[in-house]
Each structure stands twice: as structure tokens, then as C-alpha cells.
Amino acid sequence: MVKTYRLENLSCTSCAAKFENNVRNLPDIKNVELNFGASKLTVDGDVSIEALEQAGAFDHIRVYPEKSRIEHTPFYKRRQSIETAISFLLLAAGVIISFQTAENNPWAIGLFGGSMLVGGYHMFRTGLLNLSRFEFDMKTLMTIAVIGAAIIGEWREGAVVVFLFAISEALESFSMNKARQSIRGLMDLAPARALIQRNGELLEMDTEEVRIGDVLIVKPGQKIAMDGTVLRGQSAVNQAAITGESIPAIKTAGDEVFAGTMNEEGALEVTVTKRVEDTTIAKIIHLVEEAQAEKAPSQKFVDRFAKYYTPAIIAIAFLVALVPGYVTGDWQLWIYQGLAVLVVGCPCALVVSTPVAIVTAIGNAARQGVLIKGGIHLEETGRINAVAFDKTGTLTKGYPEMTDAIPENGYTKQQLVQLAASAETMSQHPLARAIIKEAHGELLPAENFQSVTGKGAYADVERQRIHIGSLLWAEEYGLKIPQYASELQQIGKSVMAVFRTDVLVGIIAVADAVRTESPSIIGRLKEMGISSTIMLTGDHPSTADAIGKEIGVSDIRAGLMPEDKLSAIRELQQQYGRVAMVGDGINDAPALAASTIGIAMGGAGTDAALETADIALMADDLEKLPYTIRLSRKTLRIIKENIMFALGLKVIALLLIIPGWLTLWIAIFADMGATLLVILNALRLVRVQK
């Protein structure tokens, strides 16, 4: 039986690995998967929560069922924080006594010993257990160093090292919890209970009990508990939690709404279309947590490096203690230096340098309405050299709009649109709907509507027969078509003549309109150094050229079938290396899958987009693309900085061995400083905004 649990107090990667191994060794366990980034455990087997907590007792790991709402303990109330505070008070008292008398004063030694026990009891217990099994992790190295310091009489330094290590552990735990808060925030978005109208009764129930087809009642100011479609009512719904859009969307009957979004104004009755585990917000949480579990290339490199790094540090520490001690005879000094090498060599900062950046960046992106499905995709996005776009629905709006209405023979623009829309009232053609929309409801009564295949349609409007159709059809009636009509056709627009039997009323042009933001997005990509932007479309070359020039893309490839788009992506990869493809996630599935990074538009309403793409822009909003690339590049930069900080501080500290200046104080500051520095540096990613 496969069960998933939430974990608390999981802040150290080496502790996570040890916990996973302990659970794996429990009886009746078939498989275990631990997601450190999401603090989540999946177990295939028969096991109790008590047994799992026993496996994590070495680090006080708490285990909760997946659906539980975990009450998070404030930082100042946590066990680590209280123990660290007591350790500090004992250390401070010992320092005062040692300065007033002598460092080897029995009272001072007693206070230092008490400080070490309170602040380091759990570390010592784990470290000694590891030592008995020849497992060398951070706590093992620290335990050897502190016990060694006490043996050679360095009680004060040993106590300071334990206190600083306790601070480091407490702050690391606090920082990791901060990095995970974005996912916890998503989990708390959707209400746990819903008001349902079923069989004429109003019932309040847990969302797990709600069935597809139930009617959900949503009052003004309430969060929507389930995905569904509006049955009755109209309201503004704030969808920022799902799509990142700050402006509320107006929802009326037939519109889709999502769990976790806020109903701001009117009351809504919503027909439930998905169970609680299948809602969009549930899918986002699942995919983000899976993304945080997937190791990025940088993290894989660090893990491989750390595997050889720790044994190397232990070997160096022994050599530092033995060789100069044997040569000079000053065993106490060089054993002390060897112990300092063990402390400074703790690999914690190095191991945590990458995952904390990945967790923070993916969580930030989810809050902004961008779903990144793994650390590898985050890193690859930061390295792309070219971006290919589908045209329809990506660079353009995906539906026809009236772009030009030019009246002739004394008619006004308003009259032209009104007559054309009235004549098309009964038509189901997409171009007709674009014209009717532009009339804003100012329609005249129409009779005797008739569609003429291949030419257009006509109807009687105010006792006049109004035709609307092709330019050739108008010419058949002996009407002269202005030159500008042909020019509009040449730039890719669908041009129609509106005429009576003997008089041209005017010319109307309809086109799949360019998104207003598309040209600026292309401009911003060029400013970011991505000069190669390619439009891939099945449109006629003349239409594609006109739209491509308007938007400002650097390359236009027209007349492409889906398989041609796939070939184009492969060709672009040979030319530019890493290529991102932006599309709608359905028609462009082959090209999205073949590209280095597939980016789908409008993932909030499209399961295919969530499943197909590496990255889903949850809103139908291209504005998120430059933000995503900027976030990815900053994440790459911060990962490199973190690795440099983690190794650089340790190298500097190790060089102090040569003149004999390395102390336990400096060693713990180098280790703690590097760990906190990489965590705080990674948390800068929280501030990256659209």
C-alpha cells in the first residue's frame, strides 16, 4: 500500500538521506521516495507513523498524513532555539568566570561542559552512533572535533563551536522552512470545506466528499473550493493564485473557475467538474513538488563531488595532525589544527548550495503563475539561445477580430459596421462573429438570411438587401473595388465587401489580431541577449510575413504542418544549440517535446499543457516569458555563486593551517558562515518579480 506523508524538521540533506535509509530498512517496506525540497515522504509498504518517527528520531523528524494541516511551531518555540538559548547562557557564564579566574577553573569547565551537552547532545548521540558504524557525515566530524578539543583542554573553544553549530542548525532549519513556504501557501489556498446544494438541500461538507455534478455555492468574499463551470451568477474572480494575474476576471454562466481563487463581488453557483484531488491547484502542487524532487545537473555534480570530498577532508585532517606533529613534536598544536580541519571541512554548505536555490526559484515561479516541472528545466531555460513561437494563440490572440472598416459612398463607419453585423446575425462563421462583436449590440432587424457557398451571405436589413462577402462577388455585380482592399489582402487580412445590389457600402477587414504585448516581448528578449526569435506557422507566407514584421521576430517559417514544425525545431537546434518552443500545448505537442524547453501557454485550463510542456504559463500571458528566463538565469548565477562561496571560504580557512592560524572558532565560522551565506543568497530568488 502506497502512502504519502508530510515531514517536519527536515532541514539537512545528509539527515534526509539517513532518514530515507532508516525507513528503507524497516520491515515490510518495498520502496521509499523522499522529496527533500517538498519535505514529503512516499512509502510503499505496511508501516505506522510511530515507526517512521522512530526512524527519524535522531533528528526529531515529525511525520504527518499528507492531507493534514500542520500547525507550524514559531521559531522561538522550537526545541533547537530553546536549547541554543540555554547553551548560550551557560557559555556566557563560563566565559565570564574563565576571564575573572582561569580557563581551567572547575566552575568554568563545568559551565562549558554543560553548554556543550545542552547545545550538542543530539549531535553527539548521532555522531557517536555514526562513528560506531564508520559513517562520516557532518555530525560525525563535529563530534570528533569537539571531543578532541575537550581532551586537549580546549573547553572554551569546544563550547563555542557547539553553540555556533547549534545556531547554524537552527537558522538552517528556519531558512529551509522559509524556502518551502511557497508550496505550503499553495496547499492552504483551497478551502477544506464547501457549501453544496444537493437534492434541494444546502450541505456543508469536506471537499473530499464533494462529487462531480454537485452545485457549489460561493458567496462574495469566499474562496472557491472546487474546479467547475459557472451555472448561475456573475462576479469578478481573483485568479492570481493560479495564473499570477493581478486583475480579477469577470465570470458569467459557462465560464470556468478554479479551486483556490477568490470570489470578490457577486454570488456564484458552480457545477463541480473535478474531484478535489484532480483540481488545477492540486495538480500544480503535485507537479511543483515533483519538480523540487528532481535533481538539476548542478545538484548531481555537487552530490558526486561531495561523495569524494568528505573522505578527502578526513584524510587531510589526519595528515595535518600526524605529519607536522611528528616532525615538530608539538602534538597538541597540530592535533588541534587537525580537529579544526574536520570542522571547516563539513560539506553541509556545499550539499545545500543547489537544492535550496532550486526549491526557492520553483516556488517563486509557482506563485507568479509559472509552473516549472523540474530543476533541469529551470537550468536549461537559463541557457537557451533561441526561442521559437507558434503564431496562432501565442503571438496572436487566436481568434479573428475586425481590424479595418472603411465606408464608401457617403456611409459612416458606424453605419457600415451596423449593416454588416445585422446581415450576419444568423451566420455561424467565425468572421461573422468578429463583425457582430464590433457592433456592440447595435443591430437592426434582418430577414431572409441566405448563405452563398464560396462567396458570402446576404439578408434584408430595413428593406434593403445587404450583401457581405468576397471582393470578386462584389465585382460580379459591376461594383468597382478600391485599391486599398487588395493592399489589405496582401498583408494577410481577410477582406470583405459590404454592398447593396448597386452601391458599395464599404470594405471590412478581419484578421487574427496580434497580441498587444507580442512586439514588446520580442524586444525584451532581444535586450536579454536572445536575438534569434522564430515564428512557426501553418499560414500562407504573405500573411506570416506581414504578422512577423509587425511583431519583430528575426525569422519567419510559414506553411508548416505539425511534422514540419518538428523538423524546424531540430534544424534550429543544430543551428543555435538550446532552443525553447512556445505553443499552446496541444497542436504543438511534437515540437514542444523535441525542443530543449517546451513552454505551453494557458496551462490553467488545459490538462494537455500541464502534461506536455516542461514549463506552463498558467495564464494565457506572454509577459511571463521574459520573467521565467530572467528567474532561470538568476538561479544559475546564484548556484554558481553558492558553490564558489561554499568552497572558497573553506579553501581560505584551510590555507590558515600553513602559518598555524586556523582555530576551531575560525573553522566553525567558515562552515556556519558558508552554510548561512548560500541559504541567504538563494533566498534572494524570492524577490524576483514579473
Side-chain angles (χ1 to χ4, degrees):
M1 182 169 38
V2 178
K3 284 189 178 179
T4 302
Y5 302 91
R6 300 275 165 193
L7 306 175
E8 200 176 16
N9 299 331
L10 190 74
S11 58
C12 158
T13 49
S14 61
C15 299
K18 183 175 179 181
F19 173 60
E20 182 178 7
N21 192 52
N22 288 351
V23 173
R24 202 179 295 280
N25 291 330
L26 290 173
D28 302 320
I29 295 295
K30 297 173 187 170
N31 192 34
V32 179
E33 286 182 16
L34 179 63
N35 184 333
F36 174 71
S39 198
K40 188 169 141 186
L41 177 74
T42 302
V43 179
D44 182 4
D46 186 17
V47 65
S48 66
I49 287 178
E50 291 73 22
L52 293 174
E53 289 191 339
Q54 189 60 40
F58 67 92
D59 207 35
H60 290 268
I61 294 169
R62 302 294 307 279
V63 182
Y64 300 88
E66 185 181 21
K67 302 291 183 185
S68 300
R69 301 263 170 173
I70 302 173
E71 291 294 325
H72 295 289
T73 310
F75 180 68
Y76 65 91
K77 287 186 178 179
R78 286 177 173 268
R79 172 193 60 80
Q80 284 175 310
S81 304
I82 294 168
E83 290 175 355
T84 303
I86 296 171
S87 175
F88 171 73
L89 293 174
L90 293 171
L91 172 63
V95 168
I96 291 168
I97 291 174
S98 68
F99 278 139
Q100 287 179 344
T101 56
E103 190 175 341
N104 59 359
N105 181 293
W107 282 101
I109 290 173
L111 288 166
F112 289 140
S115 173
M116 289 160 70
L117 279 174
V118 172
Y121 169 73
H122 300 287
M123 178 188 76
F124 294 141
R125 191 179 67 175
T126 305
L128 291 170
L129 188 63
N130 288 350
L131 195 59
S132 68
R133 297 171 178 168
F134 293 97
E135 295 174 2
F136 292 93
D137 65 2
M138 177 177 63
K139 290 184 179 178
T140 314
L141 302 184
M142 290 295 297
T143 300
I144 295 170
V146 171
I147 291 173
I151 289 171
I152 61 175
E154 297 288 348
W155 287 93
R156 183 166 60 197
E157 290 215 16
V160 170
V161 165
V162 169
F163 167 65
L164 291 176
F165 180 74
I167 285 183
S168 172
E169 289 272 277
L171 290 178
E172 185 180 344
S173 173
F174 174 75
S175 301
M176 281 305 300
N177 284 333
K178 202 79 171 148
R180 291 173 180 140
Q181 271 179 5
S182 54
I183 301 306
R184 293 205 182 111
L186 286 174
M187 290 172 63
D188 294 336
L189 278 175
R193 293 180 67 77
L195 185 63
I196 295 295
Q197 188 177 62
R198 188 187 287 173
N199 301 326
E201 288 185 77
L202 280 179
L203 307 168
E204 188 174 347
M205 60 181 70
D206 292 340
T207 51
E208 284 82 2
E209 298 173 24
V210 178
R211 300 194 295 256
I212 293 172
D214 281 342
V215 176
L216 172 70
I217 307 299
V218 189
K219 297 174 183 177
Q222 283 187 337
K223 282 185 177 177
I224 297 170
M226 306 290 290
D227 281 13
T229 53
V230 177
L231 181 64
R232 278 184 286 273
Q234 178 175 324
S235 183
V237 175
N238 187 331
Q239 301 188 139
I242 302 289
T243 66
E245 296 170 292
S246 56
I247 300 170
I250 302 299
K251 299 290 184 178
T252 57
D255 288 338
E256 193 174 17
V257 292
F258 306 109
T261 57
M262 175 67 76
N263 178 30
E264 296 195 338
E265 294 174 356
L268 293 175
E269 292 182 28
V270 176
T271 304
V272 175
T273 56
K274 293 179 182 177
R275 293 184 58 81
V276 65
E277 62 269 20
D278 299 323
T279 60
T280 301
I281 191 73
K283 284 184 179 176
I284 291 170
I285 292 166
H286 174 72
L287 289 169
V288 170
E289 289 182 336
E290 291 303 307
Q292 291 180 334
E294 184 184 333
K295 290 187 177 181
S298 301
Q299 189 174 345
K300 288 177 181 174
F301 162 75
V302 166
D303 289 348
R304 283 198 305 272
F305 183 79
K307 211 163 120 183
Y308 302 103
Y309 170 85
T310 305
I313 285 293
I314 294 171
I316 291 169
F318 271 105
L319 289 173
V320 167
L322 295 175
V323 175
Y326 179 78
V327 172
T328 63
D330 192 348
W331 287 102
Q332 181 163 342
L333 170 64
W334 290 104
I335 288 173
Y336 177 86
Q337 293 281 299
L339 295 174
V341 169
L342 281 182
V343 174
V344 83
C346 289
C348 187
L350 182 66
V351 172
V352 85
S353 61
T354 301
V356 71
I358 297 291
V359 167
T360 306
I362 289 175
N364 179 19
R367 286 203 316 277
Q368 297 291 331
V370 178
L371 182 59
I372 302 173
K373 292 168 67 175
I376 185 169
H377 307 309
L378 183 70
E379 288 196 14
E380 289 291 352
T381 303
R383 297 189 180 104
I384 59 172
N385 304 313
V387 181
F389 296 89
D390 171 48
K391 180 188 77 72
T392 306
T394 302
L395 293 172
T396 64
K397 295 180 180 179
Y399 54 86
E401 282 190 346
M402 196 181 79
T403 58
D404 303 88
I406 306 165
E408 294 285 343
N409 298 312
Y411 285 91
T412 65
K413 181 178 179 180
Q414 183 183 358
Q415 288 173 323
L416 168 62
V417 175
Q418 188 180 42
L419 287 170
S422 300
E424 292 274 37
T425 305
M426 301 299 292
S427 175
Q428 293 301 311
H429 198 283
L431 300 184
R433 288 200 293 272
I435 297 168
I436 292 167
K437 181 181 175 185
E438 204 63 30
H440 305 297
E442 296 178 6
L443 300 175
L444 300 169
E447 297 175 335
N448 303 321
F449 173 81
Q450 184 66 50
S451 175
V452 182
T453 305
K455 294 184 178 181
Y458 63 80
D460 294 334
V461 182
E462 290 192 325
R463 294 186 297 277
Q464 304 176 76
R465 178 149 291 185
I466 301 298
H467 300 71
I468 177 166
S470 70
L471 302 184
L472 289 173
W473 194 28
E475 287 176 342
E476 287 177 14
Y477 280 84
L479 300 177
K480 186 179 179 184
I481 302 301
Q483 177 62 33
Y484 64 76
S486 300
E487 292 170 359
L488 289 171
Q489 278 185 325
Q490 287 170 9
I491 60 172
K493 296 183 179 182
S494 298
V495 180
M496 292 165 281
V498 182
F499 57 96
R500 302 205 321 250
T501 308
D502 56 348
V503 177
L504 181 66
V505 178
I507 298 294
I508 288 178
V510 174
D512 180 7
V514 170
R515 289 176 184 264
T516 51
E517 68 271 22
S518 291
S520 67
I521 297 297
I522 298 299
R524 281 159 64 186
L525 291 178
K526 287 178 180 175
E527 288 171 9
M528 295 170 75
I530 299 174
S531 57
S532 301
T533 50
I534 305 96
M535 185 174 80
L536 307 178
T537 178
D539 278 359
H540 189 276
S542 61
T543 304
D545 285 343
I547 291 173
K549 284 172 185 171
E550 183 182 349
I551 293 170
V553 292
S554 58
D555 189 1
I556 301 161
R557 304 194 181 192
L560 303 179
M561 298 294 284
E563 58 271 22
D564 299 325
K565 289 185 180 181
L566 176 60
S567 301
I569 288 293
R570 287 178 174 152
E571 186 183 322
L572 290 168
Q573 285 174 322
Q574 289 179 350
Q575 186 176 351
Y576 297 109
R578 292 182 175 90
V579 177
M581 171 71 187
V582 186
D584 61 15
I586 303 169
N587 302 331
D588 304 308
L592 286 169
S595 59
T596 312
I597 292 293
I599 302 173
M601 298 277 290
T606 315
D607 287 345
L610 290 176
E611 291 161 11
T612 306
D614 304 313
I615 296 174
L617 308 182
M618 301 305 290
D620 196 20
D621 182 8
L622 261 184
E623 293 280 352
K624 305 287 186 185
L625 181 59
Y627 154 79
T628 306
I629 295 172
R630 193 169 69 252
L631 175 71
S632 302
R633 287 181 173 180
K634 188 162 187 178
T635 304
L636 274 178
R637 190 165 66 247
I638 281 177
I639 288 171
K640 288 173 185 172
E641 289 170 357
N642 280 354
I643 292 171
M644 285 167 52
F645 290 151
L647 293 176
L649 280 176
K650 293 180 186 298
V651 168
I652 291 168
L654 290 173
L655 289 174
L656 296 178
I657 297 170
I658 298 168
W661 295 346
L662 182 62
T663 66
L664 284 173
W665 294 38
I666 292 173
I668 192 64
F669 269 120
D671 177 60
M672 182 185 77
T675 302
L676 294 181
L677 196 59
V678 300
I679 292 173
L680 293 174
N681 192 38
L683 289 176
R684 287 167 52 212
L685 290 164
V686 172
R687 294 162 47 198
V688 180
Q689 300 295 319
K690 175 180 163 183

